[in-house]
Amino acid sequence: MSKIADIALDDAGLPAPTAEIEQERRVAVFDLLEDNSFVMIGRDGRDVPPGPYNLNLSIKDRRLVFDLTDVGTGVDGAFHLSLGPFRQVVKDYFQICESYFDAVKSLPPSQIETIDMARRGIHNEGARVLQERLEGKAEVDIDTARRLFTLICVLHFGG
């Protein structure tokens, strides 16, 4: 039951995404809703609803906001994460994605594969940073963290 049942990105005020960014977003949302693990952690002795959760993900005042509603109880909760720890890995990820999208158009498969391996490595690093930042708030498996990191990058695109 501890999972994300639905997800919305609050991208109001952000520039329209490129076709590649929009495709990454669609795939990440689809994959996330198909399979994820998201366990809220009680703090200060408080119990938390077991989920599943509806998640609204946004960036407000330079903070990443996880706004959650328990599907069964309707109980709302939110937590905010500083964007500082994500800045460099998001920047690196965008740069390697640009290289990848350019490479797909003109380079041989062996070079594309090398760039893609680097892209996956940076993506894994972003997922690891997210897992660290969620410590004490929520537990997510690596696949869920990877998909959420993709969505954080989508929100960063306009931020």
Side-chain angles (χ1 to χ4, degrees), residues 21 27 45 51 92 94 104 118 125 148:
I21 298 282
V27 169
D92 293 346
F94 275 124
V104 168
E125 175 64 14
L148 287 170

Side-chain angles (χ1 to χ4, degrees), residues 1-158:
M1 292 299 289
S2 293
K3 67 177 193 161
I4 297 169
D6 192 33
I7 188 161
L9 295 183
D10 183 356
D11 56 3
L14 297 179
T18 65
E20 292 90 354
I21 298 282
E22 184 57 32
Q23 177 63 17
E24 292 284 323
R25 173 185 178 156
R26 280 194 301 267
V27 169
V29 167
F30 179 83
D31 289 347
L32 186 67
L33 295 178
E34 284 292 307
D35 182 34
N36 72 79
S37 173
F38 191 93
V39 180
M40 293 290 298
I41 298 173
R43 294 183 286 177
D44 302 323
R46 289 182 282 170
D47 290 332
V48 295
Y53 307 99
N54 291 334
L55 170 62
N56 186 20
L57 195 60
S58 63
I59 294 178
K60 293 182 181 157
D61 300 322
R62 297 184 180 179
R63 298 186 70 73
L64 180 63
V65 179
F66 283 74
D67 190 2
L68 296 145
T69 303
D70 183 82
V71 173
T73 64
V75 173
D76 292 330
F79 53 85
H80 301 219
L81 303 177
S82 170
L83 287 173
F86 294 101
R87 281 201 176 89
Q88 187 61 51
V89 71
V90 168
K91 180 181 175 184
D92 293 346
Y93 186 66
F94 275 124
Q95 287 176 338
I96 197 75
C97 283
E98 269 186 51
S99 296
Y100 176 77
F101 294 135
D102 289 342
V104 168
K105 296 172 190 172
S106 61
L107 294 179
S110 63
Q111 288 177 304
I112 294 169
E113 185 176 323
T114 300
I115 294 169
D116 191 45
M117 286 175 52
R119 183 175 74 128
R120 285 194 308 261
I122 294 169
H123 198 246
N124 286 339
E125 175 64 14
R128 187 193 61 73
V129 169
L130 178 59
Q131 284 179 309
E132 287 176 4
R133 301 300 300 149
L134 288 173
E135 193 170 312
K137 296 170 182 63
E139 290 180 10
V140 296
D141 62 16
I142 190 65
D143 290 331
T144 301
R146 286 177 50 81
R147 293 166 184 141
L148 287 170
F149 177 72
T150 298
L151 296 176
I152 292 166
C153 289
V154 167
L155 289 172
H156 260 281
F157 173 73

